[in-house]
Amino acid sequence: MLAIADMAHRVIEAGRRAAGRRDIACTISIGAFVPKPHTPFQWVAQTDPEIANDRMRQLKQRVRDDRACGRAITIRWSDGHPGLIEGLLARGDRRVGKVIEAVWRDGGIFDGWNEHFNYERWIRCAAEQLEPQGVDLAWYTTRERPATEVLPWDHLDLGLDRNWLWQDYQDATKGRAVHDCRWDECNDCGVCPEMGVDIEIGPSGAALLPLRVVQRSLA
Ligand code: SF4
């Protein structure tokens, strides 16, 4: 994650070289990752918000310590705690409905707005409602799921091949890139044949976008 600071540093340096000026600015906008259903990360353990916040503080410090470019780099980051609740709602099953109702009965509304969000209320209601049902907040959020686990949304068919998603997840954890099927060959994820669509538009050899490659070297 600290490599983001190094990338911003290089962006500033490249901008200064290309523009021939020093007043180049760069903004890092970052938030903790929230795994979502029907994605390769539907099995992944969400990062604890304290750990996520600590990493973002380290990133901020790394930028501050950069004497050459640090003042030209702005960091915007969002607190990881709302992300944990977002993760609960994203990958929750019907048992989480009781938590939502409890929060609402306790006065929780407009929780998507920072000034209304009450993390402690969510934590308390989650503990009260989930424990009698044999689960807890961590079970839904910071727990990695095995490939064999039946997920609450498995009965909803978006056309994606589950085995393909799992393989995509494995590739991601090993840093193996998968090419973009809009511009390259089909990855056989299952969507096009299952949904009767034809997303693949390349490789056709034709110009796909009215954009030209910028030839000017930044070196
Ligand atoms: S072209 Fe269609 S089936 Fe192939 S990888 Fe892309 S979305 Fe999936």
Side-chain angles (χ1 to χ4, degrees):
M1 182 166 166
L2 295 179
I4 294 171
D6 301 337
M7 180 186 282
H9 178 103
R10 292 202 301 277
V11 166
I12 295 293
E13 283 189 333
R16 285 174 178 170
R17 277 200 305 273
R21 306 192 326 244
R22 289 194 59 79
D23 59 336
I24 301 297
C26 171
T27 300
I28 300 170
S29 187
I30 192 167
F33 179 68
V34 180
K36 297 284 167 58
H38 301 294
T39 71
F41 298 104
Q42 62 182 1
W43 293 277
V44 80
Q46 186 171 354
T47 305
D48 182 274
E50 300 300 337
I51 294 174
N53 284 354
D54 185 54
R55 288 176 181 168
M56 286 190 261
R57 276 191 286 272
Q58 287 183 42
L59 175 62
K60 205 170 181 176
Q61 190 60 46
R62 176 82 156 239
V63 169
R64 273 209 203 110
D65 291 345
D66 181 350
R67 293 187 176 274
C69 301
R71 300 184 113 197
I73 301 169
T74 304
I75 298 194
R76 296 203 185 105
W77 60 285
S78 43
D79 178 17
H81 294 94
L84 192 74
I85 304 306
E86 187 185 338
L88 169 70
L89 301 180
R91 292 194 292 172
D93 54 22
R94 61 191 63 189
R95 288 172 285 196
V96 174
K98 289 194 171 189
V99 180
I100 298 171
E101 182 181 354
V103 166
W104 174 70
R105 291 196 182 282
D106 198 56
I109 54 173
F110 300 129
D111 275 40
W113 296 352
N114 287 344
E115 63 269 39
H116 290 279
F117 179 71
N118 185 328
Y119 183 67
E120 286 67 35
R121 174 157 53 206
W122 278 97
I123 295 297
R124 173 171 45 81
C125 290
E128 290 170 0
Q129 300 301 322
L130 296 178
E131 196 180 320
Q133 303 184 79
V135 286
D136 60 15
L137 181 59
W139 192 84
Y140 286 105
T141 55
T142 54
R143 177 181 67 94
E144 181 169 12
R145 281 77 163 160
T148 50
E149 181 166 326
V150 176
L151 302 172
W153 50 88
D154 275 347
H155 62 291
L156 301 172
D157 184 10
L158 300 191
L160 275 164
D161 182 330
R162 197 179 196 273
N163 292 331
W164 184 87
L165 271 185
W166 176 262
Q167 191 53 52
D168 202 26
Y169 173 39
Q170 301 309 304
D171 285 342
T173 59
K174 293 176 178 62
R176 287 196 293 257
V178 176
H179 52 246
D180 189 332
C181 66
R182 289 172 301 176
W183 322 115
D184 220 319
E185 292 170 359
C186 174
N187 294 314
D188 289 327
C189 80
V191 166
C192 289
E194 282 294 317
M195 307 306 280
V197 295
D198 192 6
I199 290 172
E200 188 185 6
I201 57 177
S204 65
L208 300 175
L209 288 171
L211 296 173
R212 290 203 186 130
V213 176
V214 177
Q215 298 292 348
R216 184 176 172 186
S217 170
L218 296 179

